[in-house]
Amino acid sequence: MTDARGRANRGPSAGPGNRLAILAAARERFARDGLAVPLSAIAKDAGVGQGSLYRHFPDRLALAVAVFDENLDAVEVVVAEDSTTVADLLDLVEQQAVLAPALVDLMWQHQRDARVAPLGERVRAIAEVVVARDRAAGLVGEHVEAADVLAAISMLADLTARASSPNASSLDLDDQRRRARRLIDAALGSLPGR
Amino acid sequence: MTDARGRANRGPSAGPGNRLAILAAARERFARDGLAVPLSAIAKDAGVGQGSLYRHFPDRLALAVAVFDENLDAVEVVVAEDSTTVADLLDLVEQQAVLAPALVDLMWQHQRDARVAPLGERVRAIAEVVVARDRAAGLVGEHVEAADVLAAISMLADLTARASSPNASSLDLDDQRRRARRLIDAALGSLPGR
DNA sequence: TCGATACCGGACATCCCTGTCCGGTTGTCG
DNA sequence: CGACAACCGGACAGGGATGTCCGGTATCGA
């Protein structure tokens, strides 16, 4: 028998290939359709039976955590460079389109879940590092804290998600996104004390 | 027979009471659970059969439009007062919790729908009026446009929706919301030219 | 070579939401 | 007073997603 990708069923050891295919498909789907995409669709994209998907990832959360864990690895690599600024971070959010919103969704909706909480910690740590760096360089208002950057990311992510939804006049939404970004840049650049 | 509200089935003329009950239930549900709440739940809340709900409002959109049309009436009354500022408008968004987000959702997701477009126009008009007033009073940066306020409302609404979701540490989320609001206030107060 | 084993894929039962349809009830009019 | 008509409520079929289960297949060890 051959599966959808033309690979023969290799029995007991399809190796890690199957798991990786699922992760890749999940990342793409989460990014395009949001966190609520049917898992069956992900399985189909990965060329894998639903059984395999549920065996590797018992539920949606497990899959999502795996995807974002991987994703944060990449972000941390970028942030490790000294030249990375808050603005770069926000660029990243906008580029990843719906992936960042999905992460934000996940974090807020399941922050009590033992598997999700560490993700939140990682995100917070990333924000801390970049804010500290920017504040030292004067790129950001003196009173800006990591939590402010997180708030900005949440807001921007939501708007970006809308803009990449399958619908409607992307022109208006792109305009909205640009304005939102400008507002946030302005705010972070000159945030007064409370 | 008596219905859930103890009113007898009055046959051909239950009057407008039924319609109003549905609208009230819908408003409350949309506000608490978002735009995607099952219509059957709304019908139950209203003490009305699904048949009646679908007779009055052929689909979810029709119901949503009716709810928000009514809602915008109220907002317009508030805005008509000369003393209403952009900040007041944002306050309104925060107070209405998830209702505003639901409206924003609806507007972006179905902006091409002939029934929804007018809602968008009304919102835009409201923003125009208030921005013009605030700009004259110097309450807002010279380069702030109505579209900027709309972007701000969208962002704030999303965050507010999260904060009123049934889940998790409202403390953190409230903090996020406050920070977001502060960012937006700061941005609108001193938005530089592009 | 041949059986045991572990994993794979997809069929399937289940659940929930949607939107329709129909019997029942109650005012109204002749 | 009786028949009609309008409206009401809830049952029900359709569609889709979820998570489970089982027959099938490739590898490994004897």
Side-chain angles (χ1 to χ4, degrees), chain A residues 46-61:
Chain A
V48 146
Q50 301 207 22
S52 302
L53 191 155
Y54 280 99
R55 197 169 323 109
H56 284 294
F57 307 98
D59 55 27
R60 181 182 300 275
L61 227 57

Side-chain angles (χ1 to χ4, degrees), chain A residues 6 15 20 24 28 33 60 73 76 90-91 100-101 110 114 125 127 141 149 190:
Chain A
L20 292 183
E28 200 164 328
D33 304 332
R60 181 182 300 275
D73 288 344
E76 279 172 351
L90 294 178
D91 284 345
H110 301 98
V149 173
S190 64

Side-chain angles (χ1 to χ4, degrees), chain B residues 113-173:
Chain B
D113 189 289
R115 293 170 290 177
V116 174
L119 289 183
E121 269 320 299
R122 291 181 72 182
V123 171
R124 172 172 294 275
I126 289 171
E128 297 276 11
V129 168
V130 181
V131 167
R133 193 184 289 152
D134 270 31
R135 206 149 49 181
L139 289 175
V140 128
E142 198 178 331
H143 299 279
V144 173
E145 300 169 10
D148 295 312
V149 173
L150 292 179
I153 289 177
S154 291
M155 293 193 291
L156 199 57
D158 285 331
L159 215 54
T160 306
R162 267 193 234 292
S164 356
S165 102
N167 300 54
S169 64
S170 56
L171 200 144
D172 274 349
L173 267 169

Side-chain angles (χ1 to χ4, degrees), chain B residues 1 9 11-12 38-39 50 54 60:
Chain B
M1 175 194 186
N9 178 346
L39 295 188
Q50 301 208 21
Y54 281 99
R60 181 181 300 274

Side-chain angles (χ1 to χ4, degrees), chain B residues 60-149:
Chain B
R60 181 181 300 274
L61 227 57
L63 178 56
V65 167
V67 167
F68 292 121
D69 228 24
E70 209 182 42
N71 205 241
L72 284 182
D73 288 345
V75 174
E76 278 172 352
V77 167
V78 172
V79 169
E81 298 179 27
D82 269 358
S83 59
T84 305
T85 65
V86 168
D88 293 330
L89 207 56
L90 293 178
D91 283 345
L92 223 53
V93 169
E94 290 190 280
Q95 282 162 24
Q96 303 220 339
V98 184
L99 200 53
L103 172 56
V104 171
D105 247 18
L106 180 70
M107 279 173 34
W108 285 123
Q109 232 167 334
H110 300 98
Q111 57 179 311
R112 314 307 274 259
D113 189 289
R115 293 170 290 177
V116 174
L119 289 183
E121 269 320 299
R122 291 181 72 182
V123 171
R124 172 172 294 275
I126 289 171
E128 297 276 11
V129 168
V130 181
V131 167
R133 193 184 289 152
D134 270 31
R135 206 149 49 181
L139 289 175
V140 128
E142 198 178 331
H143 299 279
V144 173
E145 300 169 10
D148 295 312
V149 173

Side-chain angles (χ1 to χ4, degrees), chain A:
Chain A
M1 176 192 185
T2 51
D3 67 17
R5 296 195 308 292
R7 237 187 339 91
N9 178 347
R10 291 193 275 107
S13 59
N18 238 336
R19 188 177 202 279
L20 292 183
I22 293 172
L23 276 177
R27 180 166 42 245
E28 200 164 328
R29 276 290 190 168
F30 282 154
R32 189 171 345 122
D33 304 332
L35 206 56
V37 67
L39 296 188
S40 55
I42 294 178
K44 187 161 12 162
D45 283 3
V48 146
Q50 301 207 22
S52 302
L53 191 155
Y54 280 99
R55 197 169 323 109
H56 284 294
F57 307 98
D59 55 27
R60 181 182 300 275
L61 227 57
L63 179 56
V65 168
V67 166
F68 292 121
D69 229 23
E70 208 182 42
N71 204 243
L72 283 182
D73 288 344
V75 173
E76 279 172 351
V77 168
V78 172
V79 169
E81 299 180 26
D82 268 0
S83 59
T84 305
T85 64
V86 168
D88 293 331
L89 207 56
L90 294 178
D91 284 345
L92 223 53
V93 169
E94 290 190 280
Q95 281 160 26
Q96 301 217 340
V98 184
L99 201 53
L103 172 56
V104 171
D105 247 18
L106 180 70
M107 277 173 35
W108 285 122
Q109 232 168 332
H110 301 98
Q111 58 178 309
R112 315 304 276 258
D113 188 288
R115 294 169 290 177
V116 174
L119 290 183
E121 268 322 298
R122 290 181 72 183
V123 171
R124 171 172 294 276
I126 289 171
E128 297 276 12
V129 169
V130 181
V131 166
R133 194 184 288 151
D134 270 31
R135 204 149 52 181
L139 288 175
V140 128
E142 198 177 332
H143 299 278
V144 173
E145 299 169 11
D148 295 313
V149 173
L150 292 180
I153 288 177
S154 292
M155 293 193 291
L156 199 56
D158 284 331
L159 216 53
T160 306
R162 266 193 235 291
S164 356
S165 103
N167 299 54
S169 64
S170 56
L171 200 142
D172 275 349
L173 267 169
D174 265 12
D175 179 59
Q176 286 264 313
R177 212 195 53 222
R178 271 193 296 271
R179 287 178 187 274
R181 177 63 194 274
R182 197 162 61 97
L183 287 181
I184 288 174
D185 284 344
L188 291 180
S190 64
L191 196 60
R194 48 185 80 227

